[in-house]
Amino acid sequence: MVSGSAPKQSKAEVSAPTVADVAARAGVSRATVSYTFTQPGRVSPDLRRRVIEAADELGYVGNEAARRLRVGHSLALGLLVSNIGNPVYAELAAGAEAEAAAHGRFILVANSDESPERERAYLGFFESQQVSGILAAPVGDVPEELLGLGRRGTPFVLVGTATGPHSYPAISGDNERGGHLAASHLLAQGRRRLIFIGGPHPHVDLRLAGAKRAVDEFPEPASLEIIRVQVQTAKVGEAVTRTLLRRPATGFPDGIVAGNDLLALGLLHGLIMGGVRVPEDLSLVGYDDIEFADFAIVPLTTIRHPSAALGASAVRILLGIESERDTLGRFEPELVVRETSLPAAEDAHHDG
């Protein structure tokens, strides 16, 4: 038999503290330890405190779950968007992420893909993760589940227009004015048979209201037809042109305002493939000024919408650095004239 001292254990051989170790140190059952970290609502505050203190002493939990239990929330902010495939939301997320990083925070992005059911599921997930706050660009109006989160203590900022009185902050560009700018630009070119094409969204409704106001205020006869689509994608825009191209010349528009740039780019492609000369035969205006707008085969005239700045501002509001009032007038829309619309001798906006 070889004598000598026992060999030292390597770090790998030292067993990590277990649930049983924490339970013994805290004087509770293993089930109580498990519930403390997975379903804290089932454990009394006194028992939770004992378990967390024991876990800290033993080094049992050195992760985000333990930190959340100690401080009551995570370093993460939730960002809910209705369609991450839309570059507008990618820009919104980039602005929010950069601002969050500057303050030591992180962004969890949830894409509902235009589904209210998926939206509700993500809101439940955000609550389970105890996010510090939520930036919400929902499918439509503010969902009741988000209002419930606010009542239970999770702050949120609506990146959009709130309808009626509201107790939560909401920030947005002036969509009504943007629609007015777009239609006024077409009217100033001599276009008189306008069509507004857009989807079912509060922002788009405001853009349509602005376009209507521009036509109503115009001193010469002009018309505005409305075509509603379910979603505002390039594929849908191209499909709409196939319907338009079957019209007789007398029923064909000479100007189109699209609810967003993706829709406008699909319309542009379909019109050109159908033999329509843009802008000679028809002028087209999009909305948002996404990066692709300037690189289209015919660069797209559009309304600039500061998505990244909105995302950054929403984060600052959640962190208490600024308020909704501080943002008033900051996100005004801007007409960006490119080659899908004709130049006008006098581009009267009639902006009221």
Side-chain angles (χ1 to χ4, degrees), residues 9 17 20 25 27 65 72 126 137 179 186 194 209 212 216 218 304 335-336:
Q9 286 182 302
R25 174 68 66 94
F126 282 159
L186 296 178
L194 308 187
K212 284 181 175 178
D216 290 342
F218 198 67
R304 181 168 290 158
L335 175 67
V336 180

Side-chain angles (χ1 to χ4, degrees), residues 6-16:
K8 293 182 179 180
Q9 286 182 302
S10 68
K11 289 183 179 180
E13 292 173 315
V14 177
S15 59

